[in-house]
Amino acid sequence: MNDFIGLGLSYVYILLSMATATLLLRWEKVDSRTARKIIHIAVGHWWFIAMYSMEATAVAVIGPASFIIINYLIARFHLLPAMESQGSNMGTVYYPISLLVLVLLSWQWGMPKWIGAMGIMIMAWGDGLAALSGQLAGEKTREIHIFGNRKTFAGSLAMAAISFLVVLILQFVFFRPIGIVAILTISLGMSILSTLVEFITPFGVDNITVPLISSLSYWLLVSNIYAV
C-alpha cells in the first residue's frame, strides 16, 4: 500500500475515534472519563495501520508529530470535551510523543515493529482499562496516593492482567519459536514490570514511561537471548 494512502487512513481512523467518543458523550451514553479512555484505547490501534501500510520513516512520523501539536491545542484551549481530563494532566500530548519515539525506534533504529506495538497496546488497553476498572470499583477498592497520582488495587490488577494478555498474544502471533514456557514466563515478567512502571510513574507521564520502558525492556531482553 502506498505510504500516503496509509497516512490518509490514519487521519480518518483517528478522527472517527474522536468523533465517536464525542457523540457518545454528547448523547450521555458515557461520562467524560470513559469517553477519554475510548479515544485512548482506539488511538493505540493506529500502530497497526502504520505497521502494515507505511514503509518510509518520514511518512510514519507525520501522524504522531502532528498530533503532538493538535492534542496540545485541544488541551490548552479545551476544544474537545471528550479529551478533557482533571487538573493539568497533559497525557493526551504525551501519548503521541510515545508513538513518535517508538516509530523512530521501529522504522529507523531496528526495533521490530511488533515490539513497538507491544508497548503501545500495553498503554492503550492496560492503562486505559486500569483507569476504568478503578472507576467502576469505586469505594469497594482501596486507593493509594503515590507521587500525586491516585491508584487503586482494581486498576493495578487490570493493568497486570491486560499487559500479560497483550504480551502473550503478540508473542504467539509474531514470536512463537521461543516456546510456550518462555512465552508465558516473559509475559508474566512484562506484566509485572509494566504494572510497576504505571504504578510509580509521577506527574501523569505514564503515557510515556509505560510504552517506552515496556517495548525497550522486551527488546533488550529477547535480543540478548534470541535472534530478533
Side-chain angles (χ1 to χ4, degrees), residues 23-99:
L23 289 174
L24 289 172
L25 178 62
R26 183 173 298 174
W27 294 336
E28 299 182 348
K29 302 297 183 181
V30 298
D31 60 18
S32 59
R33 189 175 189 183
T34 303
R36 187 166 181 261
K37 291 306 177 181
I38 288 172
I39 296 173
H40 179 92
I41 293 170
V43 166
H45 294 79
W46 165 84
W47 188 272
F48 295 106
I49 296 176
M51 181 174 170
Y52 289 109
S53 67
M54 301 180 198
E55 295 183 2
T57 306
V59 177
V61 300
I62 292 174
S66 65
F67 273 96
I68 293 173
I69 299 170
I70 293 168
N71 288 2
Y72 173 77
L73 294 174
I74 289 173
R76 175 68 176 80
F77 297 105
H78 308 287
L79 300 177
L80 193 64
M83 289 176 63
E84 288 288 329
S85 62
Q86 295 180 347
S88 58
N89 190 313
M90 296 294 285
T92 56
V93 178
Y94 303 146
Y95 199 141
I97 291 175
S98 293
L99 288 169

Side-chain angles (χ1 to χ4, degrees), residues 106-183:
S106 300
W107 268 255
Q108 193 69 30
W109 296 325
M111 175 187 285
K113 293 175 183 176
W114 68 270
I115 296 180
M118 182 180 292
I120 294 301
M121 289 296 100
I122 288 174
M123 175 181 66
W125 281 101
D127 184 58
L129 292 184
L132 293 178
S133 297
Q135 181 181 1
L136 289 173
E139 297 180 355
K140 297 179 181 180
T141 187
R142 181 181 176 185
E143 288 187 2
I144 299 173
H145 294 267
I146 180 169
F147 301 126
N149 296 322
R150 181 179 66 86
K151 303 296 182 181
T152 65
F153 175 76
S156 294
L157 186 61
M159 178 71 183
I162 296 299
S163 299
F164 177 83
L165 288 174
V166 165
V167 179
L168 184 71
I169 291 169
L170 287 174
Q171 288 184 115
F172 266 120
V173 173
F174 294 103
F175 206 41
R176 283 174 291 181
I178 67 173
I180 184 63
V181 174
I183 285 176

